[in-house]
Amino acid sequence: MRKLSILVGLVLMVTFVSSFAVAAPIPAASADQNLVLGDDDDKDDEAKEPKKTRSNRGKWAAKKGNSKKSKSKPKYKPWKEVLKDAEEQEGLFNVHTKREDVFFEIKEDQLDKPFVTFLSLSKGIGARFVLGGLPISGSVMFDFHRVEDHIQMRQLNTRFRATDDEALDNAIDLTFGNSVLFNLPIASENEKEKALLVKMNPVFLSDISDMGFWLRLALGKSVQMDKKKAMYRKVKAFPKNIEVEALLTYSPGDRRGLNLPSVPDNRFIEIGVHYSIHMLPENPMKPRLADDRIGYFLTPHKDFSRDGSENFFVHYINRWRLEKKDPHSSLSEPKQPIVFYLDTTIPHKYRKYVTQGIELWQRAFEAAGFKNAIIAKEVGDDPDYDAEDARYNTIRWIIADEPSFGAIGPSRVDPRTGEIIDADILMEQNMLASFRKAYRRYSGPEAFVNMDPMMRYLKDPSLNPDIADENQLRDHFFGSGAMCDIGFGFTQNFEFMQLVLLTDGLEENGMEVPMEFVGEALVFVTAHEVGHTLGLRHNFKSSISTPYDKLNDRRVVEDIGMTGSVMDYPSPNVSRDRSKQGYYYTPSIGTYDQWAITYGYTEIPGDKSPEHEQWSLKSVVNRANEKRHHYGTDYDTYPAGALEPLSMIWDLGDDPLAWAEERMGVCRDILNNGNLEKRVVGDGESYAPLRNAVTTLFIQEYRAAARALKYVGGQYTARPHLGDNSGQVPLVPQTAAEQREALQFIIKNAFAKDAFAVSPEILNKLQDDKMQNWQNRMYTYGRRFDFPLNGWVGGLQNALVTQLLHPMRLQRMADVEYKVEEPYRVAEMFRTLTSEIWTGNIVPAGKTAIMQRNLQRIYLDHLISMTVTPAPGTPWEAIALARLQLTRLQSGINTAQQRSGLSDEANAHLLESQARITRALDAKLDSSF
């Protein structure tokens, strides 16, 4: 019996081992060995394997250890079984849709090749920068890389290169890695077609867009994506691109204080994410090197083979690939023009003006040698048209519950060369809304100041997380360094233009703005955004190209533009002498625009390197010193370190202070001519429109006064290169006389007793809007139903004082004392402000006394802060001078308190101010010693 048991056991053991040998899979390849697909008997694979570089490492057919065909079970499910009942679309990748699943068919020659993807919002929340149509990211270059039974989707590192140096290229590969976004299981294999099948749901129905993070910044609340609710809205395959749109639902963890009226149920926030996957050009466009004297958006990288250069950075300009049909002709049509399609969302009444704005740029391209280089087309009945399809450059209209940008012109580029391969322009309908319907009617002065770019960029994000979050959000959706703030200012300027038309009787109350005036504005703003899609940055210095006394000369403006560039932020041109009124907005691109396009798009014959092409264009860039080619962009204008008084937004002409004086006069004429009420308020209407008209005029006056700010402590700037024969130097300090004139301009127009004066008759008619809705909430804390005159005046004055006393301005003024013989000193500016605001009027009287006392408090607050808790970077010289001003004020207040007959208000103000000064002088300054 025992022998029988042993025998049975041996039989069972042999049976078990045999069955295991049949069912066991082939041993996995080693970590550095790739699987073979196709013919296992190809023994020459190892010899034929290409050199492993960053572009071809992990090729399809690396040799496998065992050359004999295996008789094991198939590794993957049969192709036909996986795709049973699936719908197929042929395209860049063949796409198979099976109920709720999407599969990509990836061919052998598509592995380890670079592709580019663009992510955009196809559905937003209508507020807080999360708006349908906005890009979510720039160009993301990636590849599909096989690792055994999986396909890695890798974002490729495009920042580091070593041109024509194999050893350094290997060192870069050793140092810098890629980012593995997904590790996707292979669903099936077609050995005959040498193709792999991969389910893409983990990619498209995920939070790879990082919208969870961006929604947290936008809403101030953490959110989670609900994977069970993720779904495809559409999937389209085209020969050179794949378009996928997914609908994702996010839920906030904490809804307290979440005010999101644009979403029906804020527990469930639906976001549409559009993915556009493109094949990169097989033959990369020859890049063009950037020049700092001409404003293009850039595609930078580090080239570590540039040992002899100052640094390793190389900057390519972003531009379209334009090639002449006839390379021997001085003016030729391009092989492929830049085409913008007018989306069906654009109201018909606006389309001809949008077309004009697009084709305004033809003149610039003619200067570069191209005829009909950029054209506009109606969508018509094109069955393939899809606004998100990256083969179509579009202009679309969107509507936001809370407008965020007005207009924006983002583009996507090939990160290898800077070639623009897709662009879409978005226009908010709200931007052209009548001022009677402006959504900011309910905003107070603080809201305006927070929207003023000059104020926003003065704040230190490291000290204010809310500002840091907003800046990060804006940079992400609008492109770092490419943010266009034209929307808010354009809306306010359009309201001002309409107010002028109303008071002139050119527009009847309650009627739409005459289309000819809307058309002028729309042509300009379209041309501005198209300019961005051509690669051009803002040029806020271009307004000086047109002489101030020629702004209303139509022939001059038609020839050279109202500004040197449509990439400026101009104010509408309003002449105080209405009989001499010219164009309100420029009808033409400017001289700078033609020059910049000439540099970026002129075709250089022959197969020359980018360096040789740049040398060929030397005669073009050396004209940068000409007045009509002056250039100053965002970072020359907004940050606290920006010091050029001629690089400003919302001005016109080559004499900014003369223009600002005229704009002040226009505003006061309208405010005080006695016709404002009857021109703005129609029969049977409430007085609410009158309130918004007054705030519109206040904003224009503030902007005019702010033109003078950069003259104080400012310096003229240029971008000369050694040997360009311009005779310029990069920095020329303002003269003391110029700075004194500018400060007196601010004092006269913003700090004087009658600054922002409004008659009591008008004030008593500035009715608030009492129609309650989700934006106009009547129970908001601090809501004033009467007009907060002191709040508006104080808010605007505080903005000006804040900028005058900013640490970086004070630093520059202190440094200039060493550079020039007769400087305008910090001490003189303090003495002037103290005298004009305080000691020259130490006991204000009359109807504006409260406003004057508020201005005194504002200035006193800054002196105390500078003395006790100075902002980082405040010069010690300024801190000492602030303390000196406090001692002088203390003495002056002591004398004023001896006067007889002081009112209670004046006495209280002096007592409070004296007490605050005493506490500040007695306080210990925080120090490290």
Side-chain angles (χ1 to χ4, degrees):
M1 179 63 71
R2 186 177 174 212
K3 291 182 179 180
L4 181 60
S5 298
I6 293 173
L7 181 60
V8 171
L10 288 171
V11 172
L12 291 172
M13 182 178 296
V14 171
T15 303
F16 174 77
V17 170
S18 299
S19 66
F20 180 80
V22 172
I26 298 173
S30 62
D32 59 351
Q33 188 176 35
N34 293 315
L35 294 176
V36 172
L37 299 180
D39 189 355
D40 286 346
D41 293 328
D42 185 359
K43 297 182 179 181
D44 294 327
D45 278 346
E46 188 172 39
K48 294 179 181 179
E49 183 180 7
K51 173 183 175 291
K52 290 184 178 181
T53 67
R54 283 179 290 127
S55 61
N56 65 24
R57 187 174 282 109
K59 287 289 185 182
W60 186 289
K63 183 177 174 69
K64 184 179 176 182
N66 185 359
S67 63
K68 293 183 179 181
K69 291 185 180 289
S70 171
K71 296 181 180 180
S72 63
K73 277 194 337 187
K75 183 179 288 288
Y76 311 110
K77 288 184 178 181
W79 191 274
K80 291 184 178 180
E81 180 182 329
V82 175
L83 296 181
K84 183 181 179 181
D85 299 327
E87 296 180 4
E88 180 180 2
Q89 298 180 67
E90 293 185 356
L92 175 62
F93 301 104
N94 289 347
V95 176
H96 305 269
T97 304
K98 184 176 180 180
R99 293 185 293 276
E100 297 182 354
D101 297 327
V102 170
F103 296 86
F104 274 13
E105 182 180 327
I106 303 173
K107 301 292 180 63
E108 171 185 353
D109 60 0
Q110 292 177 316
L111 284 176
D112 297 303
K113 285 196 172 178
F115 298 89
V116 66
T117 186
F118 314 125
L119 276 66
S120 60
L121 282 168
S122 58
K123 185 185 292 292
I125 61 176
R128 307 185 194 184
F129 306 115
V130 186
L131 305 171
L134 282 181
I136 297 177
S137 69
S139 307
V140 177
M141 196 164 84
F142 73 97
D143 71 359
F144 289 114
H145 173 71
R146 181 169 186 179
V147 178
E148 306 214 354
D149 293 339
H150 290 76
I151 294 294
Q152 288 185 344
M153 189 175 180
R154 307 182 302 182
Q155 181 173 345
L156 304 178
N157 197 328
T158 61
R159 291 184 172 180
F160 309 103
R161 308 177 194 179
T163 307
D164 300 325
D165 193 317
E166 184 177 346
L168 285 178
D169 191 65
N170 290 333
I172 288 173
D173 188 58
L174 177 67
T175 307
F176 304 107
N178 301 310
S179 295
V180 177
L181 305 177
F182 295 96
N183 202 40
L184 305 168
I186 296 171
S188 188
E189 165 195 353
N190 188 331
E191 295 189 9
K192 181 179 179 181
E193 299 294 334
K194 292 188 175 180
L196 299 173
L197 198 64
V198 178
K199 185 192 290 188
M200 299 299 291
N201 291 25
V203 177
F204 300 130
L205 302 184
S206 75
D207 193 34
I208 184 60
S209 63
D210 211 15
M211 280 304 303
F213 174 76
W214 301 113
L215 282 172
R216 181 190 68 77
L217 294 186
L219 305 176
K221 304 283 184 180
S222 295
V223 299
Q224 292 293 326
M225 193 192 95
D226 188 339
K227 292 184 179 180
K228 294 181 180 179
K229 293 180 180 176
M231 59 173 285
Y232 292 102
R233 187 178 183 187
K234 59 185 173 184
V235 180
K236 293 184 179 181
F238 301 97
K240 294 184 178 181
N241 57 299
I242 304 291
E243 307 296 323
V244 178
E245 184 177 338
L247 290 178
L248 311 175
T249 298
Y250 294 84
S251 296
D254 177 11
R255 294 190 296 136
R256 288 174 297 181
L258 181 61
N259 179 29
L260 201 59
S262 57
V263 176
D265 188 329
N266 59 27
R267 292 175 296 174
F268 312 106
I269 302 171
E270 187 178 63
I271 296 292
V273 176
H274 188 99
Y275 307 83
S276 184
I277 299 174
H278 270 252
M279 178 173 64
L280 284 169
E282 187 173 344
N283 296 313
M285 181 189 73
K286 184 188 296 183
R288 180 150 296 174
L289 291 170
D291 189 289
D292 69 319
R293 293 166 285 186
I294 305 177
Y296 276 88
F297 293 122
L298 306 176
T299 296
H301 65 270
K302 275 189 172 182
D303 187 340
F304 288 99
S305 63
R306 291 164 48 89
D307 292 337
S309 302
E310 181 182 359
N311 58 55
F312 294 117
F313 274 104
V314 175
H315 300 88
Y316 296 148
I317 67 171
N318 294 351
R319 61 176 185 148
W320 295 88
R321 186 190 301 228
L322 278 186
E323 299 169 334
K324 289 183 175 181
K325 283 183 180 179
D326 182 359
H328 304 293
S329 173
S330 61
L331 185 64
S332 169
E333 290 191 343
K335 295 178 181 177
Q336 178 62 51
I338 303 166
V339 180
F340 275 94
Y341 289 84
L342 276 60
D343 191 72
T344 56
T345 56
I346 302 176
H348 285 277
K349 62 183 179 180
Y350 295 150
R351 292 186 183 182
K352 75 172 184 178
Y353 301 111
V354 172
T355 297
Q356 289 175 27
I358 295 168
E359 297 184 349
L360 216 59
W361 284 97
Q362 288 184 357
R363 181 179 177 186
F365 281 102
E366 287 171 4
F370 288 96
K371 181 181 180 181
N372 297 324
I374 181 169
I375 57 178
K377 284 187 178 181
E378 295 272 358
V379 172
D381 298 323
D382 186 345
D384 292 330
Y385 173 78
D386 187 317
E388 276 82 32
D389 184 346
R391 294 180 303 166
Y392 294 88
N393 309 306
T394 64
I395 295 189
R396 284 183 282 172
W397 240 242
I398 66 171
I399 296 177
D401 184 47
E402 297 176 10
S404 298
F405 57 83
I408 185 174
S411 59
R412 285 75 171 260
V413 303
D414 182 342
R416 303 170 301 177
T417 62
E419 178 183 357
I420 300 173
I421 53 183
D422 173 59
D424 295 287
I425 294 171
L426 301 175
M427 301 273 201
E428 286 187 318
Q429 169 65 18
N430 311 61
M431 182 178 60
L432 293 172
S434 157
F435 77 88
R436 295 184 311 259
K437 301 173 184 175
Y439 77 100
R440 287 189 179 88
R441 179 190 305 160
Y442 317 116
S443 299
E446 297 80 8
F448 165 73
V449 170
N450 287 335
M451 288 298 295
D452 177 8
M454 308 302 295
M455 287 294 291
R456 186 170 67 244
Y457 287 95
L458 287 180
K459 300 174 183 177
D460 185 351
S462 65
L463 303 177
N464 191 328
D466 291 337
I467 295 173
D469 285 353
E470 180 180 325
N471 287 346
Q472 189 176 1
L473 196 66
R474 291 162 65 93
D475 282 346
H476 181 71
F477 284 118
F478 295 94
S480 181
M483 172 59 195
C484 192
D485 269 316
I486 198 170
F488 173 64
F490 182 86
T491 299
Q492 291 290 340
N493 285 332
F494 192 75
E495 293 170 5
F496 174 67
M497 185 182 78
Q498 186 181 8
L499 191 54
V500 172
L501 297 176
L502 280 168
T503 54
D504 279 355
L506 297 176
E507 177 189 341
E508 291 301 321
N509 186 276
M511 304 295 291
E512 290 188 0
V513 181
M515 194 52 60
E516 61 179 297
F517 301 111
V518 176
E520 277 192 39
L522 192 50
V523 168
F524 157 69
V525 79
T526 301
H528 180 97
E529 297 307 333
V530 169
H532 281 318
T533 68
L534 299 177
L536 295 178
R537 293 188 64 107
H538 290 133
N539 183 359
F540 297 140
K541 199 174 179 180
S542 81
S543 53
I544 68 170
S545 297
T546 304
Y548 169 67
D549 61 0
K550 298 295 183 183
L551 287 173
N552 290 295
D553 188 325
R554 287 179 175 254
R555 286 180 297 180
V556 169
V557 169
E558 287 167 0
D559 182 37
I560 66 173
M562 191 172 291
T563 57
S565 174
V566 295
M567 305 314 297
D568 207 334
Y569 285 179
S571 178
N573 177 44
V574 176
S575 173
R576 192 173 188 184
D577 182 348
R578 307 299 295 129
S579 66
K580 296 181 179 179
Q581 178 64 48
Y583 288 105
Y584 287 94
Y585 284 94
T586 184
S588 170
I589 59 167
T591 50
Y592 166 87
D593 298 321
Q594 297 178 60
W595 176 65
I597 293 296
T598 298
Y599 176 80
Y601 287 90
T602 297
E603 194 171 34
I604 306 298
D607 187 20
K608 296 182 179 180
S609 68
E611 290 74 17
H612 279 90
E613 284 198 353
Q614 189 178 44
W615 181 259
S616 300
L617 292 164
K618 186 177 180 180
S619 62
V620 175
V621 293
N622 280 350
R623 294 166 55 201
N625 62 304
E626 298 176 17
K627 180 181 178 182
R628 59 183 181 170
H629 297 155
H630 281 194
Y631 167 60
T633 193
D634 299 69
Y635 44 74
D636 297 302
T637 307
Y638 292 144
L643 72 169
E644 167 63 82
L646 300 180
S647 188
M648 290 290 287
I649 57 176
W650 313 126
D651 62 354
L652 287 172
D654 61 354
D655 189 341
L657 293 186
W659 173 85
E661 188 74 48
E662 182 179 20
R663 178 53 52 91
M664 284 282 190
V666 172
C667 292
R668 287 167 184 167
D669 288 348
I670 295 173
L671 197 56
N672 299 316
N673 67 7
N675 294 323
L676 184 60
E677 173 190 336
K678 63 182 180 181
R679 297 305 307 165
V680 170
V681 181
D683 289 339
E685 279 191 345
S686 79
Y687 280 90
L690 184 61
R691 184 179 181 122
N692 194 65
V694 171
T695 60
T696 296
L697 293 170
F698 275 7
I699 289 168
Q700 291 295 320
E701 290 188 60
Y702 165 78
R703 284 183 176 157
R707 296 317 88 197
L709 283 168
K710 280 195 193 170
Y711 283 91
V712 182
Q715 299 178 43
Y716 294 118
T717 64
R719 291 173 162 84
H721 287 202
L722 186 64
D724 65 6
N725 299 320
S726 68
Q728 295 178 321
V729 293
L731 299 168
V732 177
Q734 302 286 139
T735 66
E738 289 174 315
Q739 295 182 68
R740 290 187 189 104
E741 179 186 3
L743 185 58
Q744 286 301 322
F745 181 90
I746 295 171
I747 290 168
K748 169 189 169 185
N749 290 290
F751 296 163
K753 296 178 182 180
D754 58 349
F756 307 106
V758 184
S759 72
E761 290 77 15
I762 289 181
L763 283 174
N764 288 329
K765 294 176 181 177
L766 300 187
Q767 176 184 345
D768 197 8
D769 192 321
K770 299 295 182 66
M771 298 297 288
Q772 185 166 346
N773 52 55
W774 62 82
Q775 284 186 338
N776 187 22
R777 299 191 298 172
M778 312 308 293
Y779 292 95
T780 302
Y781 178 77
R783 175 75 178 262
R784 288 278 301 274
F785 296 121
D786 59 336
F787 185 73
L789 178 63
N790 289 318
W792 266 98
V793 175
L796 302 182
Q797 289 176 334
N798 182 55
L800 295 169
V801 173
T802 299
Q803 294 178 73
L804 279 172
L805 299 182
H806 193 276
M808 294 191 76
R809 187 184 311 276
L810 300 174
Q811 289 175 27
R812 291 196 298 269
M813 294 178 72
D815 287 344
V816 166
E817 292 187 18
Y818 178 80
K819 294 182 182 181
V820 300
E821 292 299 322
E822 297 182 4
Y824 184 67
R825 301 176 184 275
V826 177
E828 182 178 346
M829 183 178 74
F830 272 121
R831 284 198 305 271
T832 301
L833 290 174
T834 300
S835 173
E836 295 288 349
I837 295 174
W838 263 100
T839 56
N841 184 31
I842 202 162
V843 182
K847 288 186 175 181
T848 63
I850 293 178
M851 296 182 202
Q852 291 297 294
R853 288 195 290 267
N854 286 343
L855 176 59
Q856 290 177 341
R857 292 184 181 102
I858 288 168
Y859 180 58
L860 183 60
D861 284 346
H862 282 81
L863 292 177
I864 290 173
S865 295
M866 197 179 299
T867 302
V868 181
T869 54
T874 304
W876 283 105
E877 188 91 353
I879 295 171
L881 287 168
R883 178 173 285 269
L884 176 62
Q885 303 312 304
L886 291 178
T887 61
R888 288 175 174 170
L889 284 178
Q890 188 178 51
S891 176
I893 291 172
N894 281 336
T895 301
Q897 286 177 313
Q898 308 307 314
R899 298 182 188 178
S900 60
L902 288 178
S903 68
D904 285 352
E905 295 87 352
N907 211 1
H909 173 58
L910 295 174
L911 284 170
E912 181 207 25
S913 299
Q914 186 71 284
R916 295 184 65 210
I917 292 171
T918 301
R919 287 197 301 272
L921 294 175
D922 290 343
K924 293 182 178 180
L925 180 65
D926 290 338
S927 62
S928 58
F929 55 84

